[in-house]
Amino acid sequence: MEKVTVAVETPYDVLIDHDLLKHAAAHLEDLIQGKKVLIVTDENVASFGYLGNLQEAIVGITSGVDTYVLPAGEAQKSAENYVALQGHLATLNYSRSDVIIALGGGVIGDLVGFTAATYLRGIDYIQIPTTLLSAIDSSVGGKTAIDLPQGKNLVGAFYQPRRVLCDLDTFQTLGETIFEDGCAELIKYGMILDGDLLGQLMDRESPLNALSGDLGAIVKRCVEIKRDVVLEDEHDLGLRQMLNFGHTIGHAVEQASHYKVSHGRGVATGMILTQIMAEKEGLTELFLTERFNKLLNQYHLLNQLNLVKDYDFEDLTAAMTNDKKRRGGEITEIFPDSFGKCRLETMPFDQYAGYLAAIIADLKADKLPIVLDGDEVA
Amino acid sequence: MEKVTVAVETPYDVLIDHDLLKHAAAHLEDLIQGKKVLIVTDENVASFGYLGNLQEAIVGITSGVDTYVLPAGEAQKSAENYVALQGHLATLNYSRSDVIIALGGGVIGDLVGFTAATYLRGIDYIQIPTTLLSAIDSSVGGKTAIDLPQGKNLVGAFYQPRRVLCDLDTFQTLGETIFEDGCAELIKYGMILDGDLLGQLMDRESPLNALSGDLGAIVKRCVEIKRDVVLEDEHDLGLRQMLNFGHTIGHAVEQASHYKVSHGRGVATGMILTQIMAEKEGLTELFLTERFNKLLNQYHLLNQLNLVKDYDFEDLTAAMTNDKKRRGGEITEIFPDSFGKCRLETMPFDQYAGYLAAIIADLKADKLPIVLDGDEVA
Ligand SMILES: NC(=O)c1ccc[n+]([C@@H]2O[C@H](COP(=O)([O-])OP(=O)(O)OC[C@H]3O[C@@H](n4cnc5c(N)ncnc54)[C@H](O)[C@@H]3O)[C@@H](O)[C@H]2O)c1
Ligand SMILES: NC(=O)c1ccc[n+]([C@@H]2O[C@H](COP(=O)([O-])OP(=O)(O)OC[C@H]3O[C@@H](n4cnc5c(N)ncnc54)[C@H](O)[C@@H]3O)[C@@H](O)[C@H]2O)c1
Ligand SMILES: [Zn+2]
Ligand SMILES: [Zn+2]
């Protein structure tokens, strides 16, 4: 078993292994023994049996397990679900010493984390990520949030989980495109913070998949990177912004597509456009677009560009402008500097919008210096 | 001007004086200069001109002032208003570096505090309490919350304001019963933590009112008491529970009355019943009921007992039981021990329910060892 400890105020362990769900009682005993436990998940995750397995594994040591199953998808990360979930906890008389488990991808993790952060002003929660993306990114670090119609992640809290169980076996039922979404954040880590990891990904014989022998090691490496960033800047005042490489454009694409484009593919779109922008405008010395393009294509992470290019540019920049205004008048963007290194650069939003308009124009005219690999995916 | 500094992680000042609203720009300059400011208040507070005065006072130094006016009353501390307010901030593109001001009583303060705690994972807010109760209690210490239909304050966060401006002049428009509600929390401070203050209140020639010359000094003393408790136990894990003297029964009464009984009078009810319980069951050596009764009567804080005695006992204990379950199987109650000292005592809920049943029976049979002073108030 791999273990990464995140030494925030109340330190917690991220356990990475096969078969963790089956032995969840042993791995969670100190946190849930004799307590009421609410497991929140989505219909897909429940349909693959993970909810039943987890419930069966832990019910004996708790004072009772309740379950709460939502439909799948980003639309569930809503204020309505947040309020309903709070009401459910209150109706069941959950106390400050009871526990909530988020079993699922980043959508469930973010919603449950924010609920736990604020029910009775904070109760314990445990993350059991079941997508690659949530395992390597959203389940660790304590950023929790819900979306508003006005934009993504606008309401939330910094609130760390008490433990993270990453059962690698659960990835085997992930649809291919969902596994690939996780690879977008994986490639992000390589680009911004770990040249070795990036090289490893570029050089491997066959693309990473749910059965790859080194999957556990790769997940662990990503969790370590995330841990290091979070420990430096838990509340997102500086360094942690690096993790947003590709996310400025990514969030705007997600929102403008009404969440038909997934988070992972939104981020992939954002990363490649940001890299092209950086090369074109002389914002980086690192000319990487071609190899980056190839790597993203291995995971089919760019074909949604065929959709994005038909978007109304106004919609896209409106979403982005509002987002940026909310984060302050200027924009801080993350640019790759060399292999595995990146730089935060703050500029007036208008300057950024100019760069962006140039790239979108190229995209629309099929003049981007990249190739797509085939079918559209959204 | 009186000033109390609350030295939490980001320390803040509580300013207490006359005429603060008029000079708000000077008192808030460092926090709001060049920023967008949303003032949230209720219709009563707006109707007395405080909203207009504040807006006029600060608009010049901000980059723009928006206002948000809610109806008055506890029912506004709702999830619906919370979500609507978040949406409003997002629509106006408020950024992490903008500011919200809570102008009003504890209802506005709690709702706005929780909104500020979670919009973009936390933006600055300023408390401008306009009731005695919010000045001496809710505006200081960072407990923020909204109610659910299932009970009071079930969702919230610990989130400190950046400043508190307590303009004593605003109390002059408070209805008498609302001023008296504040006196309930004032008497609470005396009972649990400050024998001198309690003595002072018992001995004064005429009851405290909005024009009393020593009002500023008394507000200051209460804020100091609250500050000391909060500094010892910001997150309500121990000592801070003392501030809940009278609140177990108080919250249940508020809820069972569908908030027709105000918070202050709920607390007064809870305090006297808890004191009688303590004497009757040998839980205290301090026999104070008679003098306590007299003090509460000076502020007309007990006449709602004529209403409460007709309540369904089941309703009352159901509200309380659920509340207690949520806080854990046992109940921790606060009992006066000597003048200005109290004790936390944890007991099984059933034991407590037995004591309570005995008192409610006496109440219903008009056998409580107290006298009421006159008209019903709720
Ligand atoms: N908090 C953070 O730091 C952070 C970081 C990155 C992303 N995020 C958020 O995470 C969300 C995206 O996460 P995601 O990609 O996991 O999305 P998701 O939770 O929607 O999961 C993607 C899909 O996979 C399904 N699924 C989950 N586990 C499965 C399994 N084991 N087998 C089969 N299907 C399974 C889900 O039902 C869903 O349809 C976004 O809302 C994003 O904003 C948060
Ligand atoms: N956060 C905390 O630590 C804490 C502590 C104690 C109480 N509370 C909460 O505070 C709330 C009670 O506060 P409250 O008693 O101030 O109630 P409130 O905010 O409802 O105000 C009482 C009434 O006074 C009116 N009012 C306010 N200022 C006025 C003024 N200057 N002139 C005339 N009318 C005015 C209001 O419109 C309202 O009708 C409850 O929700 C309680 O749970 C919180
Ligand atoms: Zn992401
Ligand atoms: Zn109170």
Side-chain angles (χ1 to χ4, degrees), chain A residues 36-218:
Chain A
K36 287 161 78 163
V37 176
L38 177 70
I39 309 172
V40 182
T41 193
D42 73 29
E43 286 169 0
N44 291 340
V45 177
S47 75
F48 286 107
Y50 302 123
L51 175 61
N53 294 347
L54 176 62
Q55 187 169 7
E56 198 179 313
I58 63 172
V59 69
I61 63 164
T62 68
S63 77
V65 174
D66 300 293
T67 62
Y68 195 88
V69 183
L70 288 163
E74 180 75 25
Q76 302 304 316
K77 234 173 86 175
S78 66
E80 291 68 29
N81 279 341
Y82 168 73
V83 172
L85 190 48
Q86 297 285 10
H88 194 67
L89 286 163
T91 300
L92 297 178
N93 288 319
Y94 267 61
S95 83
R96 261 199 197 181
S97 50
D98 294 323
V99 180
I100 321 185
I101 298 180
L103 175 70
V107 166
I108 292 295
D110 282 7
L111 170 68
V112 168
F114 182 47
T115 304
T118 51
Y119 180 66
L120 302 178
R121 301 194 184 93
I123 74 172
D124 284 355
Y125 77 113
I126 292 162
Q127 291 271 18
I128 306 191
T130 64
T131 65
L132 178 61
L133 187 145
S134 57
I136 66 174
D137 195 347
S138 62
S139 66
V140 178
K143 266 199 188 179
T144 70
I146 54 173
D147 304 332
L148 296 180
Q150 290 86 352
K152 260 182 79 89
N153 298 335
L154 291 182
V155 177
F158 293 97
Y159 193 67
Q160 302 289 346
R162 294 301 310 278
R163 192 152 302 146
V164 182
L165 292 194
C166 172
D167 186 334
L168 299 166
D169 296 331
T170 61
F171 302 161
Q172 290 176 21
T173 53
L174 286 174
E176 200 188 348
T177 62
I178 297 173
F179 187 87
E180 290 163 355
D181 283 333
C183 296
E185 302 274 15
L186 171 57
I187 292 167
K188 177 191 79 176
Y189 284 122
M191 286 287 287
I192 58 173
L193 283 163
D194 190 338
D196 285 349
L197 179 64
L198 187 67
Q200 231 175 289
L201 290 171
M202 285 176 164
D203 296 344
R204 59 188 300 137
E205 306 239 305
S206 60
L208 187 74
N209 66 50
L211 296 172
S212 299
D214 57 349
L215 184 60
I218 287 184

Side-chain angles (χ1 to χ4, degrees), chain B residues 133 137 185 188 243-245 247 251 254 263-264 267:
Chain B
L133 187 145
D137 194 348
E185 302 273 15
K188 177 191 79 176
L243 298 177
N244 287 333
F245 176 49
H247 281 59
H251 280 171
E254 277 184 85
H263 182 70
V267 170

